Amino acid sequence: MDRSTLYNIEPIGIGTPFVESLTSYIIRLSEAHCVLTGSLISKVYTPLLGKEYLSKISSRGGDGFYDSAIGINGLGKLAGEFIELTEKFTGRTDLSFTTLKAFSEIFPNRGLLKKTKSWCPLCYEEDRVKGMIIYDQLIWNFQLVGTCLKHKSPLKNICVHCGQFVSVINRKSVPGTCSKCGQWLGTINNLIHPESYKDESHKDVSLIGELLAEKKNTFSNESPKESIHFYVSSNFDDSAIKAARYLKVPKSTFTSWMTGKSNPSIKYLLQISKMLGISLIEFLERSKDVRLIHSEEELFNQRERYDHFEIRNILHKAIIEKEPVSISELARRIGCDRKLLSKKYKDECEQIKANYSYHAQKNRQQNEELKLLKLEQAVKSLFSQAIYPSRRQVERILGNGFLKEKAVQEKWNNLKRSYQI
């Protein structure tokens, strides 16, 4: 039996809603081999991926690849390449379950995954206290997932220590810590009463978790188009208009799904499944007969009701705790449209927006200060080697495009003047 290049460590949670993401698995591989994640990517993956931009990043530095590496957990080409290589390096055959590759024929990319890392501080802390393996769940990557399936608490996406967003994988990634400042991201101070979140919102998380727990390598035979035709035929007298009205979908959008011109987003697939009273798996496999709960007329005339006392409590909690959260994220947690919040709770939303803008500005300022510090160190290093700090030389060290921002350019020119260059 041939030895694998890397340790054959087992991915966590396959066959459960809490399955590990592939980026998390790669980070844990790095930790197991006592090397930086960036070193593993540059020395082991990059030579075999055959991507010129990765080779340049490895030699010049820069975080361009890592800032957009969410695709490793996704359903496209990048996910396929990293699955293939990681399985080759480790000798495993089950790593496709740590991505969404199985759903490449089902979900469109748009609106599917977040751009940066989200995490549950309670999960981190609980695993650490119990001496369990710390890892990132695949489900945390979904845009529609704003709460932890286990704790029903809000996921975090900004480090409380440095105020910065965190990439899903980075050169210095370590399980459970911020790759920007190195601080621990777990906490026990994230408790929130489950009733503070609308059941409907958590239902979405549960349905997604159920889908991730399904151990199938592909869903290519279960197309949304065929499922839609099946239920339109069996429950709506072959009438697309009746189905669209019942399922609360624009008629033109519904028609494009039926003709196969586009696939429903995951948000619409969840909506359809809930309206039909079945799971996403049952919808895709067309494995369950549906008995409509409401008549078309009842549903058409029904107005969605919200607990405004509950909504006000959630908004006030965000204001009091100064949580850096957007109105869209709060609307998702509550399970309502953001327009409802902006219209009914104008004053609260203004305070929440101001706090979010403050944190965003603070984050931008910290990033700029970090860039200026890196620039100063690079110019100093070049000067000590009697090398002129030209754009090419500076960006060779710091990455292509590093000098494109006005503030960075001004600092660069001032540094050159200070060294009398």
Side-chain angles (χ1 to χ4, degrees):
M1 181 177 177
D2 295 336
R3 294 182 62 184
S4 60
T5 305
L6 300 175
Y7 296 144
N8 186 326
I9 65 175
E10 184 176 356
I12 300 169
I14 286 181
T16 76
F18 310 104
V19 60
E20 180 174 21
S21 68
L22 184 54
T23 51
S24 172
Y25 183 81
I26 293 170
I27 292 167
R28 289 200 303 115
L29 272 177
S30 305
E31 186 180 46
H33 286 274
C34 300
V35 298
L36 290 174
T37 302
S39 298
L40 186 71
I41 296 292
S42 63
K43 303 299 183 184
V44 180
Y45 284 85
T46 298
L48 294 180
L49 280 171
K51 296 184 183 296
E52 185 179 353
Y53 72 91
L54 268 180
S55 299
K56 289 181 179 178
I57 287 172
S58 297
S59 60
R60 297 179 181 179
D63 293 326
F65 166 70
Y66 298 104
D67 289 342
S68 57
I70 189 65
I72 294 174
N73 298 328
L75 40 73
K77 184 179 179 182
L78 189 63
E81 291 172 337
F82 270 83
I83 291 167
E84 182 181 355
L85 280 181
T86 311
E87 289 189 339
K88 178 180 179 181
F89 295 147
T90 61
R92 299 202 66 86
T93 58
D94 53 4
L95 296 182
S96 63
F97 298 121
T98 64
T99 74
L100 303 183
K101 191 63 179 173
F103 310 106
S104 58
E105 301 296 323
I106 303 296
F107 299 142
N109 260 314
R110 185 177 181 183
L112 185 60
L113 298 178
K114 301 167 184 171
K115 294 182 180 180
T116 57
K117 173 185 171 102
S118 287
W119 63 92
C120 173
L122 287 173
C123 283
Y124 280 165
E125 189 67 20
E126 191 173 276
D127 287 345
R128 185 186 68 81
V129 170
K130 292 181 178 179
M132 300 171 67
I133 296 172
I134 297 160
Y135 73 102
D136 293 327
Q137 298 174 21
L138 179 59
I139 196 171
W140 294 345
N141 291 271
F142 283 85
Q143 283 191 23
L144 289 177
V145 175
T147 59
C148 173
L149 181 58
K150 181 178 181 181
H151 298 104
K152 294 187 178 181
S153 60
L155 299 181
K156 300 296 183 182
N157 66 345
I158 295 178
C159 175
V160 297
H161 304 285
C162 67
Q164 298 192 67
F165 293 101
V166 183
S167 303
V168 289
I169 189 169
N170 194 276
R171 297 175 187 278
K172 299 180 180 179
S173 290
V174 175
T177 67
C178 174
S179 58
K180 299 292 178 68
C181 68
Q183 294 292 317
W184 174 243
L185 295 173
T187 180
I188 59 173
N189 297 320
N190 199 46
L191 289 172
I192 188 165
H193 296 297
E195 60 267 22
S196 295
Y197 288 90
K198 195 173 181 181
D199 290 341
E200 203 67 21
S201 178
H202 198 69
K203 178 67 174 176
D204 288 347
V205 182
S206 298
L207 287 172
I208 292 173
E210 185 178 329
L211 190 66
L212 295 181
E214 189 75 8
K215 291 180 66 174
K216 291 185 67 172
N217 286 314
T218 178
F219 283 80
S220 57
N221 294 325
E222 292 85 13
S223 78
K225 175 186 173 182
E226 296 302 321
S227 293
I228 289 170
H229 275 278
F230 174 81
Y231 287 108
V232 168
S233 173
S234 60
N235 292 94
F236 299 101
D237 303 322
D238 270 328
S239 171
I241 294 176
K242 286 184 179 180
R245 180 179 294 175
Y246 185 92
L247 299 172
K248 298 183 179 180
V249 177
K251 295 175 186 177
S252 58
T253 302
F254 198 82
T255 300
S256 72
W257 299 342
M258 291 196 69
T259 57
K261 290 182 179 179
S262 64
N263 274 351
S265 67
I266 186 171
K267 180 179 179 180
Y268 271 124
L269 285 174
L270 288 167
Q271 179 175 313
I272 292 170
S273 298
K274 289 185 294 183
M275 295 295 288
L276 294 176
I278 56 178
S279 70
L280 274 173
I281 296 290
E282 290 167 339
F283 171 76
L284 293 170
E285 295 183 341
R286 305 180 286 282
S287 60
K288 186 175 181 180
D289 293 331
V290 170
R291 178 177 294 179
L292 300 182
I293 300 172
H294 304 281
S295 69
E296 179 194 352
E297 290 74 21
E298 285 176 334
L299 200 75
F300 185 68
N301 293 323
Q302 184 182 35
R303 294 185 64 183
E304 192 163 11
R305 294 180 175 86
Y306 298 100
D307 185 339
H308 289 278
F309 179 78
E310 174 188 321
I311 292 175
R312 184 173 284 105
N313 282 341
I314 293 173
L315 297 180
H316 286 180
K317 186 176 188 299
I319 292 169
I320 293 169
E321 295 184 353
K322 296 184 177 180
E323 181 185 1
V325 62
S326 67
I327 301 301
S328 296
E329 171 60 24
L330 284 172
R332 180 159 56 236
R333 293 179 187 177
I334 294 168
C336 69
D337 192 283
R338 70 182 304 276
K339 292 180 180 178
L340 172 72
L341 298 183
S342 298
K343 183 177 179 181
K344 294 282 188 181
Y345 304 95
K346 186 176 180 180
D347 292 340
E348 288 89 345
C349 285
E350 289 299 324
Q351 294 181 64
I352 291 168
K353 287 177 184 177
N355 183 58
Y356 186 71
S357 297
Y358 167 77
H359 280 276
Q361 176 62 32
K362 183 180 178 182
N363 185 51
R364 287 192 293 269
Q365 184 178 346
Q366 289 176 334
N367 284 337
E368 183 178 296
E369 289 172 355
L370 182 60
K371 281 187 174 182
L372 296 180
L373 178 61
K374 287 182 177 179
L375 175 62
E376 188 171 345
Q377 292 171 342
V379 171
K380 184 177 181 180
S381 174
L382 290 169
F383 182 74
S384 67
Q385 301 172 60
I387 299 174
Y388 178 73
S390 64
R391 179 182 294 271
R392 181 178 179 182
Q393 290 292 343
V394 171
E395 293 193 342
R396 177 181 62 81
I397 298 172
L398 299 176
N400 286 336
F402 189 87
L403 294 172
K404 66 181 179 180
E405 295 177 15
K406 185 177 179 180
V408 179
Q409 288 180 12
E410 290 177 355
K411 179 70 172 180
W412 175 48
N413 290 325
N414 289 336
L415 286 169
K416 288 190 292 184
R417 283 193 289 269
S418 69
Y419 284 110
Q420 297 181 348
I421 297 174

